[in-house]
Amino acid sequence: MSKLHIKKGDIVYVNSGEDRGKTGRVLKVLVEKERAIVEGINMVTKHAKPSAKNTQGGREKKESSVHISNLNPLDPKSGKPTRVGHKLVKATSAKKKDKIVRYAKRSGEELK
């Protein structure tokens, strides 16, 4: 399995599916399944039994997972979807270690 281009907290653009063209924040990344749960995207209705927490029960809407290949992070400069690259950033001093950082291929900006 290769390194994923999406992280929790990223703002992503949906490339395909019912929610194509929408954007949202990544709430959770399911690494083993290569899927992500995005805020407000791929909403499904779950039927809940009455419980102590939810005394009424009934239907509740919640986000379902989306495959990673259908998501692209937004470029920090232009706000448009971009591909992701990885590059090695050399340490400034001898005590610090080199880091691999993600960057937007559209603008070259580093993705946080």
Side-chain angles (χ1 to χ4, degrees), residues 36-86:
I37 296 174
V38 184
E39 191 174 28
I41 303 296
N42 201 19
M43 298 298 282
V44 294
T45 305
K46 298 286 280 181
H47 295 269
K49 274 187 165 181
S51 65
K53 193 175 183 183
N54 183 6
T55 55
Q56 188 67 30
R59 294 163 44 172
E60 56 183 42
K61 290 228 174 230
K62 67 183 272 184
E63 292 95 355
S64 185
S65 63
V66 181
H67 197 271
I68 292 282
S69 66
N70 296 328
L71 303 173
N72 272 67
L74 292 182
D75 186 10
K77 263 190 182 170
S78 68
K80 293 180 179 176
T82 182
R83 291 175 298 138
V84 176
H86 293 84

